[in-house]
């Protein structure tokens, strides 16, 4: 094989195997092969690329945990790795001949994109703490999806046999879940009475200040329905089963939140991030995951805001100018972080966030526009805090030195 001075290798990342395609300076394919997602196969590919070119640049389309082994082996071998986002790959694919989609073609597109573009971000060695937070936050997201689906399923089932009770409680709280995990039909609640329901809730760890009110609401709902609806027995069994699962899931979510908080506060940025109004451990952990715990890829606060989708992009044509619109390519997780931080910061009635929001509302901006403007402002503030290593002080518009 003739040695070439420079070569780009695009890798279409897969779960069990990847596909690599190498191109030279002219775009000619040097080799294209499938290889396993294991250390030995990746090292063999690196050796093959090293024999084919003096300088090899690698490009991948995923930086998720699925590609962690690939990234680690490449970086451990001192290889330069570029990240080509999936949306870019999908767009670039339309510039190549044919409509077919294969792993080999995707790898070729990734390699060609890396060869032609010089503005793509470089992949660095993932931080141990950030990788852990990535897994924890993803796990929590899955738990919350299960929680929402479970609540909706429980309400649908309960509403089919006891609509009055379903409407009487907020089942995102533990006390109503404890109630329907033991008794969820009019006959069961009427038979227990207020004393029986109160005793049951007390014995099963319901929130003590709300037990009396919950028992009274349940008995009142039962008194307004004397009929047993069709399928009540089997439906009640399912309601109780789902309620018990949701109680366990609620505990799992809370334990995961505690773990995320503890791990997040081990990061050197934790105190700075939490000092910003509206940014708690949960959003702070999401911020670290979104940025990789490193601002090296963001040359300015504007770049970070653009990454979060908080900078409008122009759509000018001919004599039409100044036409701005919401971007399509941005990090949804990062946008949510700053949007929720802006929303949470409004609880400080006399704080700088509330004053900024009120000023934007006074400029006849609607709630969403004012909130997005505040989110953009928070990006600037957080950028300055992290750059200077300082914490935010509500009483002082300028960041103050962080405590030792």
């Amino acid at each position: 094989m003739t040695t070439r001075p420079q070569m780009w290798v695009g890798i279409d990342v897969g779960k069990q195997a990847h596909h690599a395609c190498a191109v030279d300076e002219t775009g000619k394919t040097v080799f294209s092969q499938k290889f396993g997602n294991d250390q030995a196969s990746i090292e063999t590919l690196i050796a093959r690329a090293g024999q084919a070119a003096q300088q090899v640049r690698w490009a991948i389309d995923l930086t998720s945990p699925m590609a962690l082994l690939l990234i680690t082996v490449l970086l451990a071998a001192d290889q330069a790795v570029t990240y080509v986002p999936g949306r870019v790959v999908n767009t670039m694919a339309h510039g190549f001949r044919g409509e077919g989609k294969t792993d080999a073609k995707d790898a070729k597109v990734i390699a060609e994109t890396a060869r032609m573009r010089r503005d793509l971000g470089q992949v660095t060695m993932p931080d141990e703490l950030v990788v852990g937070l990535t897994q924890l936050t993803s796990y929590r997201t899955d738990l919350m999806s299960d929680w929402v689906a479970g609540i909706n399923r429980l309400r649908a089932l309960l509403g089919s046999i006891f609509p009055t009770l379903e409407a009487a409680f907020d089942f995102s709280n533990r006390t109503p879940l404890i109630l329907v995990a033991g008794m969820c039909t009019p006959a069961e609640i009427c038979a227990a009475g207020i004393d029986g329901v109160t005793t049951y809730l007390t014995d099963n760890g319901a929130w003590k200040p709300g037990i009396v009110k919950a028992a009274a609401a349940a008995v009142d709902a039962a008194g307004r329905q004397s009929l047993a609806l069709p399928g009540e027995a089997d439906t009640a069994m399912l309601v109780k089963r789902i309620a018990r699962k949701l109680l366990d899931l609620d505990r799992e979510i809370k334990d995961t939140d505690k773990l995320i908080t503890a791990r997040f506060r081990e990061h050197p940025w934790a105190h700075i991030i939490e000092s910003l109004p509206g940014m708690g451990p949960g959003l702070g952990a999401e911020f670290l995951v979104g940025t990789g715990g490193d601002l090296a890829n963001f040359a300015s606060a504007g770049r970070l805001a653009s990454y979060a989708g908080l900078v409008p992009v122009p759509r000018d044509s001919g004599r039409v100018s100044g036409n701005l619109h919401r971007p399509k390519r941005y990090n949804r997780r990062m946008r949510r972080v700053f949007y929720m931080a802006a929303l949470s910061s409004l609880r400080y009635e006399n704080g700088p966030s509330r004053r900024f929001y009120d000023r934007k509302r006074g400029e006849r901006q609607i709630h969403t526009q004012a909130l997005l403007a505040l989110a953009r402002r928070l990006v600037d503030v957080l950028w300055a805090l992290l750059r200077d290593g300082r914490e935010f002080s509500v009483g002082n518009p300028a960041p103050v030195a962080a405590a030792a």
Side-chain angles (χ1 to χ4, degrees), residues 66-145:
M66 186 168 61
L68 188 57
L69 176 61
L70 174 65
I71 293 172
T72 303
V73 175
L74 287 172
L75 295 179
D78 295 326
Q79 303 295 307
V81 184
T82 299
Y83 171 54
V84 182
R87 182 183 289 271
V88 174
V89 177
N90 183 57
T91 302
M92 290 290 291
H94 296 291
F96 291 81
R97 184 175 59 187
E99 297 182 6
K101 183 187 182 304
T102 63
D103 293 344
K105 181 179 179 179
D106 288 344
K108 176 70 179 292
V109 172
I110 294 169
E112 287 281 39
T113 303
R115 181 179 70 87
M116 292 184 288
R117 292 185 56 171
R118 297 292 183 268
D119 59 343
L120 297 171
Q122 296 296 309
V123 179
T124 57
M125 185 66 75
D127 180 77
E128 175 73 21
L129 180 58
V130 174
V131 172
L133 284 174
T134 301
Q135 301 287 23
L136 288 172
T137 53
S138 296
Y139 179 61
R140 188 188 187 280
T141 300
D142 292 340
L143 291 179
M144 289 305 301
S145 296

Side-chain angles (χ1 to χ4, degrees), residues 367-382:
H367 169 70
T368 303
Q369 292 173 328
L371 207 57
L372 288 174
L374 176 57
R376 175 66 178 87
R377 181 64 174 172
L378 291 181
V379 174
D380 291 338
V381 175
L382 185 56

Side-chain angles (χ1 to χ4, degrees), residues 193-230:
I194 289 185
D195 292 339
V197 174
T198 301
T199 301
Y200 168 77
L201 292 176
T202 302
D203 293 343
N204 286 273
W207 185 54
K208 291 184 179 180
I211 288 178
V212 174
K213 183 178 179 181
V219 172
D220 177 68
R224 286 185 281 163
Q225 179 175 329
S226 59
L227 296 176
L229 301 186

Side-chain angles (χ1 to χ4, degrees), residues 60-352:
I60 59 177
D61 64 336
L62 283 178
T63 57
S64 63
M66 186 168 61
L68 188 57
L69 176 61
L70 174 65
I71 293 172
T72 303
V73 175
L74 287 172
L75 295 179
D78 295 326
Q79 303 295 307
V81 184
T82 299
Y83 171 54
V84 182
R87 182 183 289 271
V88 174
V89 177
N90 183 57
T91 302
M92 290 290 291
H94 296 291
F96 291 81
R97 184 175 59 187
E99 297 182 6
K101 183 187 182 304
T102 63
D103 293 344
K105 181 179 179 179
D106 288 344
K108 176 70 179 292
V109 172
I110 294 169
E112 287 281 39
T113 303
R115 181 179 70 87
M116 292 184 288
R117 292 185 56 171
R118 297 292 183 268
D119 59 343
L120 297 171
Q122 296 296 309
V123 179
T124 57
M125 185 66 75
D127 180 77
E128 175 73 21
L129 180 58
V130 174
V131 172
L133 284 174
T134 301
Q135 301 287 23
L136 288 172
T137 53
S138 296
Y139 179 61
R140 188 188 187 280
T141 300
D142 292 340
L143 291 179
M144 289 305 301
S145 296
D146 294 341
W147 170 262
V148 172
I151 292 293
N152 291 337
R153 191 178 301 115
L154 181 142
R155 297 188 74 102
L157 290 171
L158 184 61
S160 68
I161 60 171
F162 199 171
T164 310
L165 184 66
E166 187 273 332
F169 291 103
D170 178 6
F171 289 93
S172 62
N173 298 320
R174 287 188 65 86
T175 297
L177 290 176
I178 291 173
L179 172 66
V180 298
M183 50 187 77
C184 62
T185 64
E188 290 174 332
I189 294 176
C190 285
I194 289 185
D195 292 339
V197 174
T198 301
T199 301
Y200 168 77
L201 292 176
T202 302
D203 293 343
N204 286 273
W207 185 54
K208 291 184 179 180
I211 288 178
V212 174
K213 183 178 179 181
V219 172
D220 177 68
R224 286 185 281 163
Q225 179 175 329
S226 59
L227 296 176
L229 301 186
E232 181 183 77
D234 290 334
T235 304
M237 176 192 66
L238 292 176
V239 168
K240 294 176 182 179
R241 182 177 299 179
I242 293 173
R244 287 192 292 268
K245 289 182 178 179
L246 287 171
L247 288 169
D248 293 337
L249 186 58
D250 177 65
R251 178 55 56 196
E252 180 72 11
I253 291 173
K254 291 177 179 177
D255 291 343
T256 303
D257 285 340
K258 292 178 181 178
L259 186 56
I260 289 174
T261 299
R263 293 291 289 152
F264 165 72
R265 287 177 175 164
E266 294 177 10
H267 197 276
W269 289 356
H271 292 295
I272 299 175
I273 293 174
E274 282 195 271
S275 71
L276 189 68
M279 289 287 281
L283 292 179
E286 295 279 356
F287 174 78
L288 292 179
V289 171
T291 60
D294 186 7
L295 296 180
N297 290 327
F298 307 100
S300 65
R303 289 287 296 274
L304 180 59
S306 178
Y307 180 66
L310 296 173
V311 178
V313 295
R315 183 181 289 170
D316 298 343
S317 179
R319 289 180 291 181
V320 178
S321 62
N323 184 20
L324 303 177
H325 71 100
R326 177 178 175 175
K328 295 181 179 180
R329 293 184 295 172
Y330 59 89
N331 188 291
R332 267 66 180 172
R333 168 178 279 183
M334 192 62 64
R335 183 184 180 91
R336 177 185 175 276
V337 166
F338 286 106
Y339 186 89
M340 294 303 297
L343 188 62
S344 298
S345 68
L346 295 181
R347 70 179 184 271
Y348 301 101
E349 291 295 334
N350 297 319

